[in-house]
Amino acid sequence: MTAEHLRLEADRVKRLPWKKWGPYLSERQWGTVREDYSEGGDAWQYFSHDQARSRAYRWGEDGLAGISDDQQQLCFALALWNGKDPILKERLFGLTNSEANHGEDVKEYYFYLDSTPTHSYMKYLYKYPQAAFPYSDLVETNRGRSRNEFEYELLDTHVFDEDRYFDVFLEYAKATPEDILIKISVHNRGPETAELHVLPTLWFRNRWSWQGDVERPLLNQVGASGGVVRAVDSGLGERYLYCEGEAPLLFTENETNTERIFGAPSRSPYVKDSINNYLVNGQRDAVNPDKKGTKAAAHYHLSVGPGECQVVRLRLSEVAPTALTPTNGASPFGKGFEEVVLARQKEADEFYASITPDTFDADQANVMRQAMAGMLWSKQFYHYDVDKWLEERGSDPFKASRRAAPRNDRWHHMYNGDVISMPDKWEYPWYAAWDLAFHVLALTLVDPDLGKQQLKLMLRERYMHPNGQIPAYEWNFGDVNPPVHAWSTIFTYRLEKTERGEGDKEWLKSCFQKLLLNFTWWVNRKDRSERNVFEGGFLGLDNIGVFDRSAPLPTGGYLEQADGTAWMALFCENMMEIAAELALTDPDYADMAVKFTEHYLWIASAMTHAGQDTGMWDEEDGFFYDVLRTPDGKAQRLKVRSMVGLLPLCAATVFDGKLTALYPELRERFKKFLDARPEIRAAIHDPGRPGVANRRLASILDEDKLRRVLTIMLDEKEFLSPFGIRSLSRYHADHPYVFWAGDQEFRVSYLPAESDTGMFGGNSNWRGPIWMPMNALIVRALIQYYLYYGDDFTVECPTRSGRRMNLYQVAGEITRRLSNMFLRDKDGRRPVYGGTEKFQNDPNWRDCLLFYEYFHGDNGAGLGASHQTGWTGVIARMMHLFATIDPEKMLEAGKTGYVDVLAAEKS
């Protein structure tokens, strides 16, 4: 085991809290729902970026390359000033939804270069212009552009011309769980000497202003000479920030400048933006001369020559200056400092070497490592007491005189206060339950316990609604996300079972019980006609439909959704898998396996509308569509060839027969059920038909339907892009789908890049781009089909190419295309960066990777949120899978084939 594996184990058994400190600060707390107390729920306007430097947050903190403890009591982050900006650079800047032509978007360049799972070593890069940051230009130019134009990016402002910028690297290395070494390396990439003010900042989250029973913490200078900040909190204890060299210490309070924000006198002359006012505005009395407060910064004024690097070192430790000894480092910055940093770097290299396939070249290894670094840096302490929030805004649900809340008033049971994997800590600094299920697939590569904890968290009574709904996201916890939690749960369980020799059955049982509640919620709420066909609204696919699927339809009536119904079929299959696993040691779960088997059969057969008039399956087209049912009793398919119609292919799972071997009576019950309902067997793949190694397959698509759907999916004129599977068929580029509701036209065209509508905020697009999570689901399904059909089932890939592949090879081909977005091509260019020459050619940019929210359907360029490593980080898992699996061994071993390889690697 590597040193990092040993740290993970020590943290797991609670011997040493290696994960107590980590990158748990948000990168945008302003503009969030939890900080919004406006009447109409306009979170972006209520708390703006301009206010953030002066206004104390209620529910959390943000910062540049920051860390905190796991309850975000004490925070550390970087602040910078180039001598020209109108404000300190304390946090990342970006546009709000209304300011940008394609929705909210961060306008900065920063990169998560490295992180171990315990955060024993982390590395971050921020690129800071030497000219004044073009705040107004970015806002005004983007606001003036239409949805059909490109976004105006920071590079477009020419602020990086002639390389007049600083590369600011920040490294964290833990000597012990409570002793964190901090190294800031400032590189001047420009042609002339440039000045930079570096202000490492320590502060307490403001809890005392809202919670009367919270004792006010304190920061103060130790001794008259400076160089050490003491932090005292009744719950956290004492910590010390050691600052190398002669850097003045500036103190203030983390309290709102009410005079600036509200035009009312401030409680104290020392407020949140006092350090900004001291340095930028020259207000020398703005900081506390008594050298105490709740926010403090060390002020380093650097003059960096062209091509030079200067280093600032700090140390955040529980060891007091009087307790420093030769054993724990007589000097905070002695020889041992660099030795620890180098040791942690080396241990990080060893850790990633242990999980990176030997067949990877340096570029592939870099992609995988930065994908994992991005996911680990995207952990955030998320705090939101919805009941308290409602009470504070006068919307207490238990008071008759309450004001209506703009959102979330049905979720007053929720209390969130945990470190959670975020989709993107700037654009989406709040968890999204279905995103999280995908995050876990990649996170378990480096930290299986974190994956288990994250999945269990969403099912706890502090999160899950009493009616069984899993919360969606803070903009509307009651929105409906696809039910992928069970799939991620059984994957994570199998992984741990193989790695550790036994699975955590108690964890699996606990998750299963809560997932039963969620399944029941779906059945009771989203099957309107009780015919096993489901709705669900937008289901995470924003603008994919002809209409806004979460709003009342312009025609009246309702949609029977191919994706909603397919999700529920997959949900059943996953619950069958969990119940079957539990039944191997607990016979009480055998009946639950039967229950979900039967429910799956009802749903699967309903997708083709066995015995009904208009089903989702179109026999002529060989594809699935949503069905619109209008109040006059009519029904019609909405013939949009989209990911909606591919999702039924994803509802496929193989079973090895262990359960029926242990309980033969179940086989007889299953046979009787099918014999009594021959129409089910005729409508879907025959679940009793044996495949390779006598396996059985639960699949909506029989062999004929599977081949027909695959023919469309693998057609480069339809779904198959050079970089993965598109969310909408390219067929609609020349053949847009048009639907008329009265005199109102609704049109769906192929849009490979950004959305041209404001549906769901206009900040994402499912009408053509490539989305990593959906591709991951397709790859999973193809492997399931391969385990059943084996090598003899082949298809043309691409369609009409004459090149035949089995389904494992098809899955590998899709993964290869997805990987190629990030890897250098034969010309040394990365498709993910499109035509941005700085990223393609500059040696200080080209190997810094961004994992975007989605990707151009034709050229693979990154789009949407630029740091959504969250589910896009799944590429690391997919690359790993196809670099480590021998298909012959997988075919022999079945579903455990991949996790068997992982176990062999670790041993």
Side-chain angles (χ1 to χ4, degrees):
M1 295 177 77
T2 68
E4 180 63 13
H5 283 108
L6 293 173
R7 280 189 284 269
L8 280 168
E9 181 63 16
D11 188 87
R12 185 178 77 87
V13 299
K14 303 187 185 309
R15 188 168 66 248
L16 289 170
W18 280 103
K19 297 180 190 174
K20 180 174 180 178
W21 294 85
Y24 306 143
L25 284 186
S26 176
E27 282 166 344
R28 178 176 62 80
Q29 184 71 13
W30 60 273
T32 59
V33 165
R34 51 200 183 280
E35 298 291 344
D36 175 26
Y37 288 83
S38 67
E39 289 289 334
D42 189 348
W44 287 110
Q45 295 302 315
Y46 180 77
F47 202 134
S48 67
H49 175 270
D50 181 59
Q51 294 178 341
R53 69 180 182 274
S54 309
R55 189 173 177 181
Y57 294 124
R58 170 68 175 95
W59 295 104
E61 295 290 341
D62 58 17
L64 192 64
I67 62 171
S68 76
D69 64 279
D70 57 9
Q71 289 298 298
Q72 207 174 88
Q73 297 169 88
L74 183 61
C75 309
F76 174 91
L78 186 60
L80 302 167
W81 188 50
N82 57 15
K84 300 183 180 71
D85 282 352
I87 58 174
L88 279 183
K89 178 64 69 174
E90 294 182 277
R91 57 188 50 81
L92 297 168
F93 173 74
L95 305 182
T96 69
N97 187 273
S98 62
E99 289 172 339
N101 57 329
H102 294 295
E104 61 267 27
D105 189 41
V106 68
K107 298 299 182 185
E108 304 264 19
Y109 296 117
Y110 58 104
F111 306 89
Y112 307 124
L113 298 181
D114 209 356
S115 181
T116 57
T118 66
H119 312 296
S120 59
Y121 180 75
M122 298 192 296
K123 189 174 184 179
Y124 182 108
L125 168 61
Y126 176 68
K127 293 181 178 288
Y128 187 36
Q130 293 169 5
F133 196 90
Y135 291 105
S136 297
D137 183 22
L138 287 166
V139 173
E140 292 166 8
T141 304
N142 275 288
R143 185 181 276 153
R145 292 192 174 188
S146 73
R147 293 191 184 278
N148 296 317
E149 294 177 274
F150 288 118
E151 294 177 9
Y152 184 60
E153 302 293 1
L154 187 56
L155 276 170
D156 299 328
T157 69
H158 301 290
V159 76
F160 286 96
D161 285 3
E162 298 182 296
D163 289 330
R164 294 181 182 272
Y165 71 94
F166 297 104
D167 266 343
V168 183
F169 293 91
L170 197 150
E171 295 172 272
Y172 296 98
K174 294 180 181 178
T176 72
E178 293 283 2
D179 187 7
I180 305 168
L181 284 57
I182 304 164
K183 185 176 179 179
I184 303 165
S185 303
V186 178
H187 296 257
N188 180 0
R189 301 300 187 193
E192 297 175 354
T193 297
E195 294 191 354
L196 180 65
H197 299 261
V198 179
L199 295 102
T201 306
L202 188 71
W203 74 100
F204 283 105
R205 175 164 62 89
N206 187 331
R207 295 173 292 145
W208 57 91
S209 292
W210 289 274
Q211 296 170 253
D213 59 342
V214 172
E215 184 178 340
R216 189 188 189 93
L218 175 69
L219 300 174
N220 68 282
Q221 178 174 298
V222 176
S225 60
V228 182
V229 179
R230 173 175 171 259
V232 183
D233 178 84
S234 58
L236 191 63
E238 291 192 7
R239 298 293 186 282
Y240 297 86
L241 179 67
Y242 295 91
C243 310
E244 187 179 34
E246 296 182 4
L249 299 179
L250 310 175
F251 288 82
T252 187
E253 302 291 343
N254 184 20
E255 295 213 20
T256 298
N257 182 343
T258 55
E259 185 174 348
R260 176 176 184 262
I261 300 298
F262 302 113
S266 299
R267 266 196 312 201
S268 164
Y270 313 116
V271 288
K272 185 177 179 181
D273 56 2
S274 284
I275 296 173
N276 174 90
N277 296 339
Y278 169 88
L279 186 61
V280 178
N281 302 333
Q283 297 176 11
R284 295 305 169 188
D285 61 349
V287 295
N288 192 336
D290 294 334
K291 302 292 184 180
K292 65 180 182 179
T294 49
K295 178 180 178 181
H299 180 203
Y300 293 89
H301 187 182
L302 309 182
S303 179
V304 190
E308 288 185 356
C309 171
Q310 292 191 25
V311 174
V312 172
R313 302 194 301 179
L314 306 102
R315 192 164 189 158
L316 182 61
S317 176
E318 64 180 350
V319 180
T322 55
L324 289 173
T325 66
T327 303
N328 58 29
S331 166
F333 304 105
K335 184 177 70 170
F337 187 101
E338 289 301 326
E339 289 175 349
V340 170
V341 173
L342 291 172
R344 295 298 174 266
Q345 289 175 335
K346 182 174 181 290
E347 289 162 2
D349 291 343
E350 291 168 350
F351 174 77
Y352 278 102
S354 75
I355 65 169
T356 302
D358 294 336
T359 56
F360 276 12
D361 62 25
D363 196 28
Q364 290 171 310
N366 184 43
V367 170
M368 178 174 165
R369 185 161 176 172
Q370 287 195 46
M372 297 314 309
M375 300 203 69
L376 292 166
W377 268 96
S378 295
K379 292 160 65 176
Q380 175 186 314
F381 176 74
Y382 182 90
H383 188 213
Y384 190 15
D385 181 341
V386 179
D387 188 56
K388 176 62 68 175
W389 179 78
L390 290 169
E391 177 189 317
E392 289 171 349
R393 60 184 299 123
S395 303
D396 188 326
F398 300 104
K399 289 186 178 178
S401 59
R402 65 187 295 267
R403 291 184 298 173
R407 54 177 60 88
N408 294 332
D409 59 354
R410 291 195 308 107
W411 292 79
H412 53 82
H413 73 285
M414 287 188 73
Y415 178 85
N416 299 170
D418 302 277
V419 173
I420 306 176
S421 176
M422 297 291 135
D424 177 318
K425 289 205 296 187
W426 192 94
E427 188 148 341
Y428 303 114
W430 28 261
Y431 64 86
W434 86 296
D435 294 54
L436 189 61
F438 287 97
H439 298 186
V440 168
L441 302 182
L443 286 171
T444 48
L445 260 176
V446 295
D447 191 351
D449 290 303
L450 174 63
K452 288 172 61 183
Q453 181 267 340
Q454 295 285 285
L455 290 170
K456 181 71 175 290
L457 189 63
M458 292 296 112
L459 303 176
R460 294 187 64 180
E461 73 286 348
R462 296 189 289 110
Y463 287 78
M464 175 182 268
H465 197 281
N467 65 19
Q469 186 178 9
I470 294 175
Y473 38 72
E474 68 173 28
W475 285 96
N476 184 357
F477 285 125
D479 261 354
V480 183
N481 277 178
V484 289
H485 220 79
W487 165 50
S488 191
T489 298
I490 188 60
F491 175 89
T492 302
Y493 170 83
R494 285 206 182 99
L495 188 71
E496 183 186 45
K497 181 180 180 181
T498 305
E499 287 184 344
R500 294 182 177 154
E502 61 178 357
D504 187 345
K505 285 283 182 74
E506 294 306 310
W507 175 81
L508 189 63
K509 285 181 180 180
S510 176
C511 290
F512 183 75
Q513 301 301 330
K514 291 296 187 73
L515 288 167
L516 281 175
L517 298 179
N518 184 234
F519 185 87
T520 303
W521 178 86
W522 269 91
V523 170
N524 290 339
R525 294 294 185 93
K526 298 302 172 183
D527 180 8
R528 178 191 302 249
S529 60
E530 298 185 0
R531 292 188 293 112
N532 299 296
V533 287
F534 290 82
E535 301 169 60
F538 85 114
L539 284 176
L541 309 187
D542 293 23
N543 66 336
I544 203 166
V546 181
F547 319 115
D548 179 346
R549 300 192 303 171
S550 289
L553 302 181
T555 60
Y558 62 96
L559 288 176
E560 293 177 346
Q561 295 182 211
D563 54 341
T565 308
W567 285 123
M568 285 303 289
L570 180 60
F571 196 174
C572 281
E573 293 171 8
N574 301 143
M575 294 296 275
M576 288 159 57
E577 290 184 281
I578 296 173
E581 177 65 27
L582 294 173
L584 295 178
T585 53
D586 188 340
D588 288 343
Y589 286 89
D591 277 345
M592 296 306 296
V594 173
K595 175 263 183 299
F596 281 106
T597 300
E598 294 181 357
H599 210 138
Y600 155 75
L601 292 169
W602 292 123
I603 293 172
S605 60
M607 283 223 68
T608 53
H609 259 268
Q612 297 291 335
D613 50 353
T614 303
M616 300 174 193
W617 172 256
D618 188 295
E619 183 61 31
E620 182 179 351
D621 292 359
F623 205 71
F624 289 93
Y625 304 107
D626 284 347
V627 174
L628 172 64
R629 295 196 174 272
T630 50
D632 59 7
K634 295 181 180 178
Q636 69 176 102
R637 300 185 188 100
L638 301 177
K639 293 193 173 186
V640 179
R641 293 186 193 172
S642 74
M643 188 61 69
V644 167
L646 293 181
L647 275 166
L649 174 144
C650 298
T653 304
V654 291
F655 293 87
D656 56 17
K658 289 181 181 177
L659 184 66
T660 52
L662 185 62
Y663 303 101
E665 67 275 15
L666 296 184
R667 185 183 294 112
E668 188 59 30
R669 288 168 62 182
F670 183 51
K671 183 176 182 301
K672 286 182 179 180
F673 179 89
L674 286 175
D675 288 347
R677 299 165 181 84
E679 69 280 2
I680 290 179
R681 205 177 224 136
I684 62 174
H685 171 79
D686 183 352
R689 178 185 164 193
V692 171
N694 208 34
R695 298 183 187 115
R696 301 299 193 273
L697 174 69
S699 169
I700 296 168
L701 283 69
D702 60 19
E703 184 173 344
D704 177 65
K705 289 186 177 69
L706 177 60
R707 289 186 180 279
R708 297 185 68 187
V709 171
L710 287 173
T711 297
I712 296 172
M713 186 183 84
L714 299 177
D715 190 335
E716 292 181 313
K717 294 182 179 180
E718 298 239 19
F719 286 97
L720 184 60
S721 158
F723 303 101
I725 303 298
R726 302 176 176 108
S727 51
L728 187 84
S729 171
R730 209 174 190 288
Y731 168 84
H732 291 301
D734 299 321
H735 306 89
Y737 180 80
V738 178
F739 182 92
W740 289 89
D743 59 357
Q744 187 175 6
E745 181 189 83
F746 294 86
R747 178 182 293 261
V748 177
S749 300
Y750 175 69
L751 301 170
E754 301 284 13
S755 171
D756 63 357
T757 78
M759 193 183 295
F760 277 90
N763 62 337
S764 69
N765 182 24
W766 287 83
R767 294 183 175 181
I770 297 152
W771 289 77
M772 192 65 67
M774 310 312 289
N775 276 261
L777 278 170
I778 289 168
V779 166
R780 172 211 172 265
L782 291 170
I783 291 173
Q784 299 291 314
Y785 289 120
Y786 174 71
L787 294 175
Y788 177 79
Y789 286 110
D791 292 319
D792 294 337
F793 186 110
T794 62
V795 294
E796 275 190 304
C797 181
T799 299
R800 295 185 303 277
S801 67
R803 184 178 165 207
R804 301 199 70 82
M805 297 184 184
N806 64 41
L807 296 186
Y808 176 87
Q809 292 168 331
V810 173
E813 174 64 14
I814 292 171
T815 299
R816 183 189 67 80
R817 294 182 180 221
L818 292 166
S819 304
N820 283 346
M821 290 190 291
F822 305 101
L823 298 169
R824 290 185 187 173
D825 63 18
K826 58 181 174 54
D827 299 316
R829 298 174 69 86
R830 300 186 193 276
V832 66
Y833 286 135
T836 308
E837 294 305 317
K838 193 73 171 172
F839 276 99
Q840 296 291 11
N841 300 316
D842 192 310
N844 293 314
W845 293 67
R846 66 188 182 194
D847 291 327
C848 300
L849 294 164
L850 294 176
F851 297 84
Y852 286 81
E853 184 179 5
Y854 51 98
F855 303 86
H856 194 290
D858 294 334
N859 63 35
L863 299 165
S866 55
H867 291 73
Q868 192 152 347
T869 318
W871 62 17
T872 299
V874 171
I875 189 61
R877 172 66 76 179
M878 297 167 73
M879 290 172 65
H880 185 277
L881 188 155
F882 286 97
T884 53
I885 285 297
D886 180 328
E888 291 184 8
K889 292 180 180 178
M890 172 177 264
L891 197 59
E892 179 183 347
K895 286 188 287 192
T896 64
Y898 176 53
V899 288
D900 286 345
V901 168
L902 294 181
E905 282 183 347
K906 291 189 183 295
S907 64

